Amino acid sequence: MGIVIPESDMQFGKYKEKQIFQLEKSEQYTKKLRQQGVRCCEFILLRSNKLCFIEAKKSYPDPIDGITKDEKKYYEEIKEIAEKMRHSLELFSNILLNRYSQNGVPDEMKNAENLEMRLILVIKNADKSWIIPLQDIFRKELNAEMRIWKIPDFIIMNEEQARKRHFII
């Protein structure tokens, strides 16, 4: 039996305990940082020598219509998700540096020296036609972080694509 993580009307999993660190539910985040305005992604998944920082959204405005309907709200969503990714990278690295407890972090994730990193956003309702333009926006927004952390790409997928890639069941 594996671990299933319900998030944004999707079921992520089934994962082995040694594959996941539920950052959003971790004591490091919930007891010390959440109330201080720190944001983080749902969880970190170790898969095929890659640490995947996963954020999930039930819905997201179409990049074309979203900009024309409510530009301010549209860009606030981008900033919020980017901030979650930034804070998640920072918190996890500080956990690995023992500035916060390593409780709950699987041993396989503690030596991240040779692990590649990925930033992944799963949007349940994402239309395939606007995933690439939206990815481009996030790549620009997180360009510095991706260079610093040597992250090759920001990946966005919809529910169907996430299911095909075995992120959700």
Side-chain angles (χ1 to χ4, degrees):
M1 191 167 136
I3 295 173
V4 175
I5 302 169
E7 188 61 51
S8 302
D9 284 346
M10 296 178 279
Q11 302 291 315
F12 288 84
K14 296 182 174 178
Y15 303 125
K16 297 176 185 170
E17 278 189 47
K18 65 181 182 179
Q19 282 184 282
I20 62 164
F21 178 53
Q22 293 189 57
L23 193 59
E24 189 175 52
K25 293 183 179 178
S26 71
E27 67 181 44
Q28 298 90 329
Y29 175 67
T30 58
K31 290 184 179 178
K32 300 180 190 266
L33 300 170
R34 181 175 49 202
Q35 52 277 28
Q36 302 297 319
V38 174
R39 301 172 184 240
C40 70
C41 64
E42 269 64 66
F43 63 98
I44 302 170
L45 171 67
L46 177 61
R47 180 192 256 184
S48 303
N49 209 38
K50 292 176 180 72
L51 278 178
C52 302
F53 288 73
I54 301 189
E55 172 65 12
K57 290 292 216 185
K58 188 177 185 176
S59 63
Y60 199 87
D62 178 323
I64 289 107
D65 282 348
I67 293 171
T68 56
K69 286 182 182 174
D70 189 351
E71 186 174 2
K72 184 179 178 191
K73 186 177 182 338
Y74 179 77
Y75 285 108
E76 282 174 3
E77 285 274 337
I78 290 167
K79 297 283 186 199
E80 179 184 309
I81 293 168
E83 183 177 65
K84 283 183 175 189
M85 292 300 188
R86 285 184 187 106
H87 289 182
S88 298
L89 288 165
E90 293 165 359
L91 176 55
F92 190 66
S93 64
N94 276 286
I95 290 169
L96 295 183
L97 291 169
N98 284 312
R99 296 182 66 87
Y100 290 93
S101 161
Q102 291 189 358
N103 289 348
V105 179
D107 290 339
E108 294 79 1
M109 287 187 187
K110 289 179 182 174
N111 184 6
E113 179 182 353
N114 295 316
L115 298 176
E116 293 180 29
M117 299 171 91
R118 297 288 187 271
L119 302 178
I120 299 174
L121 174 60
V122 179
I123 306 171
K124 183 176 175 72
N125 77 333
D127 187 278
K128 286 181 184 179
S129 68
W130 49 261
I131 288 177
I132 291 173
L134 191 57
Q135 279 180 162
D136 291 341
I137 291 168
F138 278 103
R139 287 176 187 138
K140 287 175 187 166
E141 182 68 28
L142 291 163
N143 184 42
E145 289 79 9
M146 291 173 64
R147 287 176 187 263
I148 290 167
W149 293 95
K150 298 181 179 179
I151 299 171
D153 206 358
F154 187 97
I155 301 164
I156 299 176
M157 60 184 94
N158 62 21
E159 182 178 24
E160 176 189 344
Q161 293 165 321
R163 186 168 280 110
K164 283 181 184 174
R165 293 170 94 174
H166 306 286
F167 284 100
I168 61 174
I169 52 176

